[in-house]
Amino acid sequence: MLIGVCGAICSGKHSISEYLIKNHNFQPVHLERNSNRALVKHVKRSSTIAPLVYINDSLGEEASFRHVDSLISWVTTRWQQRWVITDIWDEAMLERLLALPFFILVSVESPVSLRWKRFKQRCETLQLEAPTLEQFVIRNDEHLYDPEIGLARLIDRAELRIINAAESVKDFEKSLDDIDFTNEQRIRPSWDQYFMALASLAAQRSNCMKRRVGCVVVRDKRVISTGYNGTPRNVRNCLDGGCPRCNANNGSGVALATCLCIHAEENALIEAGRERIREGAILYCDTIKIVQVGISEVVYSHGYYMDKATAAIFEEAGVKLRQFSPNEMQVTRTVHLLDYVAGNVRSLVNAIEKIGYNVEWIQRPEDVANAEKLILPGVGHYGHCLRQIIDAGYFAPIMKHIAEGKPFMGICVGLQALFEGSEEDPDVNGFGLVPTKLKRFDDSDKSVPHIGWNSALVQGEDYTDQSFWGLRRLSKYYYVHSYAAPYTDETKMVLESQGWTVATAKYGNEMFIGAIGRDNIFATQFHPEKSGRSGLEVLRAFLSGVKTEELVRLSPDPIRNGLTRRVIACMDVRTNDNGDLVVTKGDQYDVREKSSLDTAGQVRNLGKPVELAERYYRQGADEITFLNITSFRNTPINDQPMLEVLRQTSKQVFVPLTIGGGIKEALDSEGRKVSAAEVAKLYFHSGADKVSIGSDAVIAAEEYYASGKKLSGKTAIEDIAKAYGNQAVVVSIDPKRVYVKEPKETTHHCIHTITLGPNGEQYCWYQCTIKGGRESRDLDVRQLVAAVEAMGAGEIMLNCIDKDGTNSGYDIELIRDVKEVCKIPVIASSGAGSPDHFEEVFDETSVDAALGAGIFHRGEYTVKQVKEHLKKKGYLVRWEYI
């Protein structure tokens, strides 16, 4: 056996190596560092102070090699002995080692402040100058994320991932005692592990939108057949709307007659047929409730609604039933999420999986008892979510889980549920654990909902120099809500007397609770899964049980509470003439090339959407927006390429994602009417956090005024907002100037403009358009904003056809005009060509966010450069790059 250990600087790699040598008779092997040119480059770059590498001088000459080929050749002839190596630096080397059937990669992760303390201690021992924490963090980021030598990609491929939050080597070694490093099943799985892995692999082919289930039928340790759940062949896939019951998200036992999905066991048994299933056949399945045709034994991995009843039937039929438990050698890193139709939680699952934990869904009240760590997510209306929880019978099991001292985390509405109640729905009581109620923000002096990045400052002297569940004083977190728990002197006194620790944020003049915790309870009003690296650290702290950690300030900058200025990266996405999905950019909405003889007339191609989204995220973009400007306009429910873009992006990008383009009521391929909320659900389930509605909002506004300002309840805005909350709906407006000599020439609201018209006109009004600016309507921008706000839109994306692609700055007059009448947040869009333009729009208007597209796609400026400029000018921005 050969174990490779990798990790960040001072994370504990060599502690693991020495533990294995001392306790399990491993022997060290060493690869000399000059065999890797990239690392030599790194050492030279960092030679001014203590090196960031650790060399174990105790290694014998026989176990030290210059080249990886020599090391592999030598270890292969001794593979039955135990070896450990910490010199793993690049993917080429790792690929060679992973090809060995006796090799296991182990990674170790540790909080950065703790690693800095260890490194300082090492420097003191070696009598070397230690770097400052800021220097250490910069070099640590280079060590992990440098394109040439970064180790983050290697760490992500580890089979076994270990968290080292121990204050001493002794404590860390004690935690390692729980890991069975030497179990041979790590390098060659048991038959149960092997066949259950095949069943899980089969589940990946599932087309059922409610759950993935796979099945394998085995006889004499040979696979007879496989199966997965979903609609039958030649019937539209469930995840494309083929099964009415699943797509309606009905609970257990409801509308069973409308379910078209076949169970994985059925498919596998049908495929095998009775003739191929004889005595001794075994069925492996993720979940199980069907068996037939001579199966002798059933092995399942997850429980199901009818376990007890199923077991009784199997016993009567003489079928052996047992649950597969992964070997205890594996580190249990599982968290349970409550599934009560809480809106989009795909991003939360991605974030949890990103930091190395598995997600198990709780879909019935009795399963709460099986959860060790429980997370209650929630997006949308307080009353709707609480009713779902209470009506489904989850209240008592959740309270029991908390009373037993098990870790519990609430997110957004999951935090609000802990309180006594909320003004959002006074008739619905909360859990009553926190003795106060939530109130709506005052919108007389600010936009509501509160959308954006704000603080979570932990109150109390004990937290001046340490974090609380990963919360850091300089970090910003993503909030999106209209109701909050006010934090007053009276509230402070009551909560402190009951042992609650509170982290606060400030919006306008209102101080509110951003996070709260006591004993085993922790909850956040913000969304950690959408709060970038800072949010991931909060989730990691909760899941690994690190309640407090020493906190060191990275810079002398004062801590500034309050909402930051958001910088959003936007991508217009469409298929080019070759059928590829690309990011493009228009010149006053024209996306085809004109200048080059080779490319004239072709769709302007500025890159691939997923790659650009990841790039902007790493540069510090506060949000990412995709506007699908042409594809699937008539049938957005078949927008599979864009759905896949969202799925892939949401696995790597942990800031809010907005998707727009044709999101409205539609007909599927069989002519069935699909509501706007159902269309939006497809995008939410793929990783989107907000949907953007354009042309359909204009049509809805015209109907609103034609009916005497009566809400129909049937518009896309109302449909989606009702199901997922106002914050989930963005209205994208495409206005253009119409010049007039005098305001009396039109019934629409006019402004006196400093940008004169073609004939010297001093007045203009902003006319709304549809179909990508190709069709003008008799509706001005103020009328549209008032209508969509009444319908329940949560945010406005304010474009400008006159400014699009000009790089001349935003239309300040348009933005001021809209902000005068709009109470919901407004995003400035169109015209940004330099960081000065972002400064100008924040300085001269009260806009809530500014969006850039071509400025970033063409590489003229990065998101980071724009935010650096704003910071130098005194604006509060989120300061995080990855």
Side-chain angles (χ1 to χ4, degrees):
M1 175 182 287
L2 172 62
I3 291 181
V5 188
C6 63
I9 306 159
C10 286
S11 57
K13 299 182 296 294
H14 295 88
S15 294
I16 293 176
S17 175
E18 290 163 8
Y19 169 87
L20 292 173
I21 293 169
K22 180 172 62 177
N23 295 283
H24 295 289
N25 298 317
F26 277 71
Q27 301 175 64
V29 288
H30 178 56
L31 189 63
E32 293 181 7
R33 295 187 181 276
N34 59 12
S35 65
N36 184 290
R37 288 187 296 173
L39 195 61
V40 171
K41 166 189 169 185
H42 180 58
V43 172
K44 288 180 179 178
R45 195 184 317 180
S46 308
S47 60
T48 57
I49 56 178
L52 294 180
V53 298
Y54 178 89
I55 300 178
N56 190 340
D57 294 324
S58 65
L59 295 176
E61 292 182 0
E62 184 182 4
S64 182
F65 303 90
R66 291 182 178 275
H67 303 286
V68 66
D69 290 339
S70 302
L71 183 150
I72 290 174
S73 177
W74 191 83
V75 173
T76 299
T77 61
R78 300 163 175 82
W79 74 271
Q80 291 182 314
Q81 300 177 48
R82 295 175 178 175
W83 306 97
V84 60
I85 182 171
T86 57
D87 302 319
I88 299 175
W89 309 310
D90 58 49
E91 288 187 287
M93 175 187 180
L94 180 59
E95 289 293 345
R96 297 295 311 282
L97 292 173
L98 287 172
L100 300 175
F102 51 88
F103 175 78
I104 302 167
L105 181 64
V106 176
S107 72
V108 57
E109 301 171 65
S110 186
V112 66
S113 61
L114 195 56
R115 293 192 285 112
W116 179 58
K117 285 175 55 179
R118 295 170 187 157
F119 191 75
K120 285 201 303 179
Q121 293 170 356
R122 178 185 301 171
C123 291
E124 292 172 3
T125 302
L126 299 175
Q127 297 183 337
L128 295 171
E129 179 186 356
T132 65
L133 178 54
E134 187 168 7
Q135 289 173 325
F136 180 84
V137 169
I138 292 171
R139 292 164 61 192
N140 171 73
D141 286 350
E142 180 185 38
H143 183 254
L144 290 177
Y145 304 111
D146 185 281
E148 296 180 29
I149 61 173
L151 298 184
R153 292 186 297 274
L154 280 61
I155 294 172
D156 283 343
R157 299 182 66 180
E159 176 188 338
L160 175 60
R161 303 183 71 166
I162 298 172
I163 299 294
N164 176 14
E167 290 289 340
S168 67
V169 173
K170 183 179 179 180
D171 290 340
F172 183 41
E173 288 185 345
K174 185 177 180 180
S175 69
L176 295 179
D177 288 338
D178 297 329
I179 304 173
D180 187 1
F181 286 97
T182 60
N183 193 307
E184 294 296 330
Q185 291 183 10
R186 287 197 180 278
I187 57 179
R188 190 166 189 255
S190 66
W191 286 113
D192 275 357
Q193 288 175 310
Y194 174 63
F195 291 126
M196 195 57 73
L198 292 181
S200 297
L201 182 61
Q204 299 301 308
R205 285 290 303 163
S206 167
N207 71 58
C208 179
M209 67 166 294
K210 290 203 73 173
R211 65 165 61 212
R212 289 177 172 176
V213 182
C215 178
V216 175
V217 178
V218 175
R219 189 182 71 242
D220 296 331
K221 296 184 173 57
R222 289 176 173 80
V223 174
I224 299 173
S225 65
T226 63
Y228 54 84
N229 63 325
T231 49
R233 182 175 296 180
N234 298 325
V235 175
R236 184 154 48 95
N237 287 343
C238 174
L239 54 80
D240 292 333
C243 176
R245 180 178 183 271
C246 292
N247 281 266
N249 204 24
N250 287 311
S252 175
V254 178
L256 295 178
T258 66
C259 185
L260 299 182
C261 286
I262 296 178
H263 294 282
E265 310 94 285
E266 291 178 278
N267 276 322
L269 294 169
I270 291 170
E271 180 184 345
R274 185 175 181 85
E275 293 301 316
R276 298 172 63 197
I277 301 178
R278 306 190 190 106
E279 184 177 353
I282 302 175
L283 188 148
Y284 288 83
C285 195
D286 294 309
T287 64
I288 181 69
K289 62 176 183 177
I290 297 173
V291 70
Q292 187 52 274
V293 295
I295 293 292
S296 301
E297 181 179 2
V298 170
V299 184
Y300 69 100
S301 60
H302 302 300
Y304 203 69
Y305 296 127
M306 298 184 292
D307 277 350
K308 293 181 179 179
T310 304
I313 294 172
F314 283 10
E315 182 178 3
E316 180 181 349
V319 177
K320 181 180 179 181
L321 179 67
R322 62 185 174 89
Q323 184 170 11
F324 169 76
S325 298
N327 200 295
E328 292 182 357
M329 63 167 184
Q330 298 176 355
V331 179
T332 301
R333 294 165 62 92
T334 299
V335 59
H336 286 78
L337 266 63
L338 196 66
D339 183 9
Y340 65 99
V341 196
N344 170 34
V345 291
R346 179 70 255 171
S347 298
L348 178 58
V349 173
N350 288 340
I352 291 171
E353 291 177 346
K354 179 69 174 179
I355 58 179
Y357 284 78
N358 299 317
V359 172
E360 293 283 349
W361 288 100
I362 290 177
Q363 296 181 316
R364 55 179 186 167
E366 51 265 42
D367 289 339
V368 175
N370 299 327
E372 183 59 33
K373 298 181 178 73
L374 177 63
I375 294 182
L376 178 64
V379 179
H381 190 275
Y382 166 87
H384 174 75
C385 291
L386 265 292
R387 284 192 180 94
Q388 292 279 346
I389 293 170
I390 295 169
D391 293 347
Y394 284 118
F395 174 75
I398 291 174
M399 295 299 286
K400 182 180 179 182
H401 175 97
I402 293 173
E404 290 175 349
K406 295 181 179 180
F408 172 88
M409 183 178 186
I411 296 174
C412 195
V413 178
L415 169 139
Q416 297 181 0
L418 300 178
F419 289 74
E420 292 179 338
S422 172
E423 287 183 350
E424 190 169 14
D425 195 332
D427 295 331
V428 178
N429 294 325
F431 293 0
L433 294 173
V434 185
T436 188
K437 293 185 178 182
L438 296 104
K439 297 182 179 180
R440 193 176 192 274
F441 283 117
D442 179 8
D443 63 6
S444 64
D445 62 345
K446 57 185 176 295
S447 302
V448 177
H450 169 231
I451 298 178
W453 299 78
N454 210 324
S455 305
L457 300 180
V458 184
Q459 302 298 303
E461 296 181 0
D462 292 344
Y463 296 99
T464 302
D465 297 317
Q466 65 179 0
S467 65
F468 177 67
W469 291 120
L471 295 174
R472 299 174 185 275
R473 300 178 69 79
L474 287 176
S475 294
K476 297 292 182 179
Y477 306 94
Y478 182 75
Y479 293 82
V480 52
H481 58 123
S482 298
Y483 295 81
Y487 190 69
T488 63
D489 290 340
E490 181 181 352
T491 304
K492 177 182 177 181
M493 186 180 305
V494 172
L495 295 182
E496 286 182 352
S497 68
Q498 295 189 7
W500 290 101
T501 297
V502 172
T504 63
K506 188 176 183 181
Y507 187 36
N509 294 319
E510 296 183 79
M511 190 77 72
F512 66 94
I513 295 174
I516 191 168
R518 182 181 69 185
D519 301 327
N520 56 308
I521 304 172
F522 176 57
T524 64
Q525 179 61 72
F526 61 84
H527 288 269
E529 75 278 13
K530 285 296 167 184
S531 298
R533 185 171 58 187
S534 298
L536 294 180
E537 287 303 317
V538 170
L539 286 172
R540 191 194 307 273
F542 171 75
L543 294 176
S544 58
V546 182
K547 186 174 183 179
T548 60
E549 179 185 355
E550 183 179 347
L551 194 64
V552 183
R553 186 173 295 182
L554 287 174
S555 71
D557 294 350
I559 296 171
R560 297 177 62 187
N561 201 354
L563 192 65
T564 68
R565 305 300 183 120
R566 280 183 288 157
V567 176
I568 300 173
C570 179
M571 285 168 276
D572 292 339
V573 181
R574 63 159 290 168
T575 51
N576 62 14
D577 298 321
N578 297 321
D580 301 319
L581 207 60
V582 300
V583 174
T584 188
K585 186 69 187 79
D587 180 0
Q588 295 185 325
Y589 290 28
D590 184 354
V591 299
R592 294 192 176 272
E593 297 281 10
K594 298 181 180 66
S595 57
S596 171
L597 293 177
D598 295 332
T599 60
Q602 296 182 13
V603 173
R604 191 173 291 116
N605 184 350
L606 298 176
K608 297 179 179 180
V610 176
E611 291 179 3
L612 288 180
E614 290 188 34
R615 179 191 304 171
Y616 300 147
Y617 169 60
R618 295 183 184 280
Q619 290 174 1
D622 295 315
E623 294 184 27
I624 303 291
T625 296
F626 294 107
L627 298 179
N628 196 358
I629 60 176
T630 57
S631 297
F632 303 97
R633 280 292 178 84
N634 296 321
T635 56
I637 56 175
N638 293 327
D639 193 358
Q640 294 302 320
M642 200 65 223
L643 292 173
E644 187 60 26
V645 165
L646 283 171
R647 292 187 192 105
Q648 295 303 320
T649 302
S650 65
K651 290 180 181 179
Q652 302 297 331
V653 174
F654 298 100
V655 295
L657 301 177
T658 300
I659 175 67
I663 297 174
K664 58 184 178 181
E665 184 180 275
L667 297 177
D668 64 15
S669 57
E670 297 181 357
R672 184 181 69 92
K673 184 180 290 187
V674 181
S675 71
E678 290 180 277
V679 173
K681 180 171 69 174
L682 293 175
Y683 293 104
F684 290 143
H685 284 186
S686 297
D689 301 283
K690 297 183 278 188
V691 294
S692 174
I693 299 174
S695 298
D696 201 52
V698 177
I699 304 301
E702 291 174 339
E703 294 173 352
Y704 170 75
Y705 288 110
S707 67
K709 299 184 179 180
K710 293 181 180 179
L711 296 174
S712 68
K714 299 178 181 180
T715 66
I717 296 172
E718 293 169 274
D719 193 25
I720 298 170
K722 181 180 179 181
Y724 295 99
N726 299 40
Q727 80 291 332
V729 184
V730 180
V731 170
S732 179
I733 304 177
D734 297 326
K736 64 179 181 180
R737 290 186 173 219
V738 177
Y739 285 95
V740 294
K741 291 183 179 180
E742 297 290 340
K744 63 184 180 182
E745 294 181 13
T746 178
T747 59
H748 295 290
H749 171 76
C750 290
I751 66 166
H752 186 273
T753 176
I754 60 173
T755 305
L756 302 182
N759 298 312
E761 296 93 339
Q762 297 182 23
Y763 296 92
C764 73
W765 64 281
Y766 288 96
Q767 184 177 33
C768 295
T769 67
I770 62 174
K771 299 179 181 179
R774 295 188 299 275
E775 184 178 316
S776 302
R777 310 294 287 194
D778 188 22
L779 190 75
D780 66 54
V781 68
R782 280 198 173 199
Q783 291 173 315
L784 178 56
V785 167
V788 300
E789 191 171 343
M791 294 175 199
E795 199 167 20
I796 299 293
M797 183 189 300
L798 188 57
N799 308 298
C800 179
I801 294 177
D802 308 283
K803 283 287 190 175
D804 183 64
T806 65
N807 297 331
S808 60
Y810 301 95
D811 191 328
I812 301 298
E813 293 177 327
L814 168 63
I815 297 165
R816 285 175 179 162
D817 189 42
V818 169
K819 284 295 294 183
E820 282 183 8
V821 297
C822 186
K823 291 185 178 296
I824 60 178
V826 175
I827 302 168
S829 177
S830 303
S834 73
D836 290 331
H837 293 148
F838 288 83
E839 177 193 354
E840 178 187 39
V841 76
F842 286 132
D843 183 53
E844 298 191 18
T845 76
S846 58
V847 74
D848 301 272
L851 178 151
I855 181 178
F856 302 136
H857 307 334
R858 293 187 293 267
E860 296 162 357
Y861 295 94
T862 65
V863 177
K864 180 180 179 181
Q865 287 172 322
V866 169
K867 297 182 85 169
E868 285 175 338
H869 177 82
L870 291 173
K871 184 180 180 183
K872 289 178 182 178
K873 296 297 182 177
Y875 293 96
L876 181 59
V877 294
R878 180 179 69 105
W879 200 244
E880 177 180 290
Y881 311 108
I882 299 175

